[in-house]
Amino acid sequence: MPVTPGAEVKPSKRPGKSPRIADNFAPISFALVKGPADACGPGCDSWIAAEGKIDGGAAARLRKVLKLVGDRKLPIYFNSPGGNLEQALAMGNMLREKKASVRVGRTTVRECGFESQEGDVCTKLKQSGRELHGEVWTRGAMCNSACPYLILGGTVREIAPDATLAVHSPRVILNYTGGVPPPEVRAKALQAAMARSDKMVLDYITRLGADPGLLTVARSVPFEGMRILTREEIVRFALDRRDRVESPWMFEAASRGIAYKTILSREEGKGTFRTTRLQLVCFDQDRFELDVERNAAVGVAGGALSMSSGDVRLNFLSPPRRSGDRETWGVFMNAAQIRSVAAAPRAELSDALLNVARPGALTFAVGSEGLETALKKLTDSCPPSKAVVYPVNVPVPWTQVSSPQMPSPQVSPPQLSSPQASAQPDH
C-alpha cells in the first residue's frame, strides 16, 4: 500500500490484543550474495543480505556471518519489519565495531528459483552459509520498528530514496510468577519496564552520536501503529546525512517494461528535500519516452526543460502534465539517442523559466549508473522496430504512459509521427 513519509500507519481494526511483530516473516537470515558487476554500487558485486524479523537469536547469527566474512568490506543490506529491540541494539554495536557499511534493500536470490524469497526453502538456503547469487533492490525495501536503531551502528549509513524506514513504541512483555498481581501493581511494573527500555535506547543513541529525537518520535506512536520517517527526519536523526541521494537506474517488468530511478535532493541552506523521479518506457525497440516527474515550480508563468548528454540535446514537450503539486515532463527519443545517454556518466537537466521563482535550480545532474543494463533489459522486452514512413515537420503527439510511482493513466498507442521530431537542439 502506498504510504506518505511522516504519516502514521494504523491498523484497519483495533486488535483485541497487541499483535506479534511480523508474524508472517521468517527469523532474520544473513547470506553472502554475489551479483553482476556493480550490482551494489560502482566496483561492488558482493554483499550481505539480512532478511526477516529480528528474533532472539539474531545477534548470534550476525556475529557468525561477520566472522565468516573476516576482513572483507562488504555492505550489509537490511530488509526487516523489526522485532526484538535488545537484539537490534546488540547488532548495532557489532556493526560499529566492524565499521560496517549498512543500507536498506531487499535481495532476490537466484538459487531460490520459483520458491518464495520468504519461504522455508529459500530461508534455509540463505542460512546455509554458502555464497549465493542474486540482485538487490531498494524500491519496496523496509527497515521498521527496532531496525532503524541497528542502522545507527554502521559507520557508513546509506538509505536509498525509495526505501522505507518506520518506527513505533516498543512493546514490553511482563512475565509473572506466583499468580497475576492486581492492576495497580501491573501498571507500575509496566511503567518501570518502559523506563528501562527508554534508558537503554537513549544510552545507545547518545553513545553513537545520533539524535535522541528518534526515540521521541518512536514513543509518540502506539505499538499497533507505525510512523514513516520523512527524509528530513532521516537526516536529522543521523540515519543518513546526505543532502542528495540518487538511486541507480533499475528495470522492472510491470504491465509494461520500465526503467526508472529516484533522486532526493535539497539545496544548500534549505530544510526540505525535492523528489525527482525519472522513468523510461518503449513503444518498440527504436522509440522511447523519457518522463521526468518533480515538484511543480510555484509562481512560474511558463518555461521549458531540456536535457544534454554528450552530443545529445533534447527539448521536453511543454507545458508539462500537472497533478496537484507535481509536474511531469516528457520527451521522445530514438534508440541511438538513449544509448548515447546511457554511455555517458551523467546527463544535465536545464530549466529555462520565465522568472526566478526557482533560483539555483537551473541545472540538475542525473547520473547514468545502471542505465546501460536497465536499457538492455527494457529493449529486450520491447516489440521489434516498425518500418513506418513519418510525415515531415509534424510534431509528436503527447502520449500518456504508466508510471510505477503514480496512478496509471490510459496508455495510448504511438501515432504515425516521428519520435525524433521533438528531439530538437536547445540552442
Side-chain angles (χ1 to χ4, degrees), residues 129 189 225 243 416:
D243 286 330
L416 297 182

Side-chain angles (χ1 to χ4, degrees), residues 244 265-268 270 272 274-276 292 294-298 300 303-306 327 329 348-366:
R244 180 185 172 97
S265 61
R266 64 176 178 181
E267 298 172 26
E268 186 176 354
K270 293 193 175 181
T272 58
R274 173 188 179 192
T275 302
T276 303
V292 175
R294 64 185 188 178
N295 297 97
V298 178
V300 176
L305 181 69
S306 62
E327 63 184 18
W329 298 78
E348 291 282 343
L349 295 176
S350 298
D351 279 305
L353 305 176
L354 299 187
N355 57 35
V356 291
R358 196 189 291 169
L362 296 179
T363 61
F364 188 76
V366 176

Side-chain angles (χ1 to χ4, degrees), residues 24-26 51 107-126:
N24 297 324
F25 285 79
E51 305 265 341
T107 299
T108 55
V109 174
R110 195 183 311 158
E111 283 83 352
C112 292
F114 293 105
E115 297 287 342
S116 168
Q117 292 288 322
E118 294 79 29
D120 292 341
V121 173
C122 198
T123 298
K124 288 180 181 178
L125 272 173
K126 293 174 182 177

Side-chain angles (χ1 to χ4, degrees), residues 319-394:
R321 301 185 306 236
R322 288 181 179 263
S323 177
D325 62 350
R326 304 287 289 174
E327 63 184 18
T328 302
W329 298 78
V331 65
F332 289 85
M333 309 172 72
N334 59 35
Q337 289 170 329
I338 188 58
R339 283 198 298 266
S340 178
V341 172
R346 68 185 59 83
E348 291 282 343
L349 295 176
S350 298
D351 279 305
L353 305 176
L354 299 187
N355 57 35
V356 291
R358 196 189 291 169
L362 296 179
T363 61
F364 188 76
V366 176
S368 299
E369 180 188 345
L371 182 54
E372 286 187 309
T373 300
L375 178 60
K376 183 181 185 308
K377 293 179 180 179
L378 176 63
T379 303
D380 290 344
S381 73
C382 296
S385 304
K386 297 179 181 179
V388 179
V389 177
Y390 297 102
V392 179
N393 297 326
V394 176

Side-chain angles (χ1 to χ4, degrees), residues 62 66 76 78 90-102 150-155:
L62 176 60
L66 291 179
I76 304 178
F78 285 92
M91 288 194 289
N93 288 327
M94 291 182 201
L95 296 173
R96 181 55 58 96
E97 183 180 350
K98 183 72 174 178
K99 297 181 179 180
S101 296
V102 295
L150 71 84
I151 293 293
L152 289 173
T155 52

